[in-house]
Amino acid sequence: MKRRFLTLLILPLAILGSVQAQHRMWGNPIGPYAYNPAGANVNDMGEIIASYYMTYVDAKQAPQGALLLGSTSLPFDNMGAGFRFDYETGGVMKNIMAEATYVYKLNIGRQNKLAFGLSGTYNQTFLDRSKVVAKDGNDPFLVSGTESDFWFDFNFGVSFYKPNHYYVGLAAYNIAGGQSTADWKIAGFEERTSRLFTASGMYMFDFINGDLKLELTANGMFYLPQDKFTLVYDANARAIYKKICWLGTGYTENMVKVLAGVYVQNFSIGYAGGIGVANDITTYSYSFPRHEVFLRLELNTSKSSKNKR
């Protein structure tokens, strides 16, 4: 009975953590599309980005995940499109999310633009039986419970920006509140995704005739419904020298971040590391709990980027 109670207690938290992890804060400067459908193609250039992170590396079955996203202008520069794929695993649960996005842009004068983004998403969460160590092989969940589930949803965002100068955006995710049709064998547990609301912004300062740039970015997000309001936030400052390299720092989730990266023509590679602060886990064991790398490829797919080239 005690083992059954622990299963009923822990499993909902694992499922919710897996579902909400689709929209985690990424440590590297991967751009606004990760937090807003209207952030796709925000710099009027095509791009493909891949990122991978590890948390609490020495811990068994610690969370880790990967992100692949891309965006481009369509034949008309007032339209854009994007795709995104998230994968995350932690404990005995895995989660994937695939997203396709359409963006429409309005010119507001002086190179300012107002963009609207709409995404359709596919979500799947499932149990990794290879990581389950069951003391009772006849546990009802393991015998007759569902091992995976999928659902569809959509997201919407709006942004106001000037390419490579500033950006501000608001977005809502999981608008339909997709509900699971699977039977997880958990009494009283509602298998429904929470709605996610995000705000993100960026501002770029130029120094030394543009050879040195200072980029400030900030992101915040919260879920509804939730028993107690919790805001997850992230803020970064990054110095970029002649599109050769960058160094920076930031703060998120009780961690101070270290940012570094280099450019090779239209290709860049970056690293973000988290230094734990104000947390018992980091105090006693994990002083450097997060590592993340990313790759970015820029593509001249819009009329404006081709003209500049």
Side-chain angles (χ1 to χ4, degrees):
M1 181 66 182
K2 184 177 181 180
R3 288 192 296 268
R4 175 74 181 280
F5 174 76
L6 290 175
T7 299
L8 298 181
L9 178 64
I10 295 173
L11 189 61
L13 298 178
I15 295 173
L16 284 175
S18 179
V19 170
Q20 295 185 352
Q22 301 167 12
H23 303 283
R24 67 175 299 276
M25 288 291 187
W26 293 89
N28 278 293
I30 58 179
Y33 181 33
Y35 308 106
N36 188 338
N41 192 227
V42 71
N43 288 325
D44 293 342
M45 294 189 67
E47 64 178 2
I48 298 176
I49 295 175
S51 185
Y52 173 77
Y53 82 91
M54 300 174 291
T55 305
Y56 304 116
V57 180
D58 295 332
K60 187 177 181 180
Q61 300 181 14
Q64 56 184 304
L67 167 72
L68 176 66
L69 63 81
S71 64
T72 183
S73 293
L74 294 177
F76 301 98
D77 276 358
N78 65 335
M79 298 181 186
F83 73 88
R84 176 180 167 190
F85 178 82
D86 278 314
Y87 170 82
E88 185 162 71
T89 179
V92 299
M93 302 300 294
K94 292 183 178 181
N95 189 85
I96 63 173
M97 188 274 285
E99 175 184 75
T101 302
Y102 169 77
V103 179
Y104 183 78
K105 310 173 189 178
L106 296 173
N107 291 319
I108 312 297
R110 295 188 178 182
Q111 300 181 345
N112 296 318
K113 296 186 179 184
L114 181 65
F116 303 90
L118 180 65
S119 300
T121 65
Y122 168 83
N123 306 271
Q124 184 175 13
T125 186
F126 51 96
L127 177 72
D128 186 350
R129 276 188 172 270
S130 65
K131 296 181 179 180
V132 175
V133 180
K135 295 184 179 180
D136 184 359
N138 295 318
D139 188 293
F141 174 77
L142 298 176
V143 174
S144 58
T146 299
E147 294 187 21
S148 67
D149 184 31
F150 69 91
W151 64 95
F152 299 91
D153 219 310
F154 68 97
N155 314 319
F156 177 77
V158 60
S159 65
F160 179 73
Y161 68 96
K162 182 178 181 179
N164 299 305
H165 285 80
Y166 57 80
Y167 165 91
V168 61
L170 300 172
Y173 285 77
N174 306 324
I175 295 175
Q179 186 170 12
S180 169
T181 58
D183 184 4
W184 290 94
K185 299 294 180 181
I186 305 172
F189 175 62
E190 184 183 26
E191 303 90 358
R192 181 183 294 274
T193 55
S194 299
R195 290 182 175 86
L196 172 71
F197 299 90
T198 70
S200 51
M202 180 275 288
Y203 196 89
M204 186 84 72
F205 295 92
D206 289 342
F207 301 95
I208 316 176
N209 296 321
D211 288 345
L212 179 64
K213 298 179 181 293
L214 176 62
E215 179 191 72
L216 304 179
T217 60
N219 302 292
M221 61 177 64
F222 63 91
Y223 288 91
L224 290 178
Q226 55 179 275
D227 294 334
K228 182 180 179 181
F229 179 80
T230 301
L231 175 68
V232 181
Y233 62 91
D234 174 278
N236 300 307
R238 182 171 63 130
I240 307 169
Y241 179 67
K242 284 188 174 181
K243 206 172 182 182
I244 295 175
C245 62
W246 73 80
L247 290 173
T249 186
Y251 184 83
T252 182
E253 300 179 74
N254 294 324
M255 283 186 286
V256 174
K257 296 194 297 183
V258 176
L259 308 175
V262 296
Y263 294 94
V264 181
Q265 295 183 350
N266 61 338
F267 180 79
S268 57
I269 180 171
Y271 168 80
I275 303 172
V277 295
N279 188 295
D280 288 342
I281 294 179
T282 59
T283 299
Y284 293 106
S285 57
Y286 296 100
S287 58
F288 211 0
R290 180 183 297 174
H291 302 276
E292 181 181 316
V293 295
F294 97 120
L295 306 173
R296 182 174 185 261
L297 177 65
E298 293 182 351
L299 304 170
N300 296 309
T301 59
S302 68
K303 292 180 181 179
S304 60
S305 65
K306 290 177 180 178
N307 291 337
K308 289 178 182 178
R309 185 176 182 183

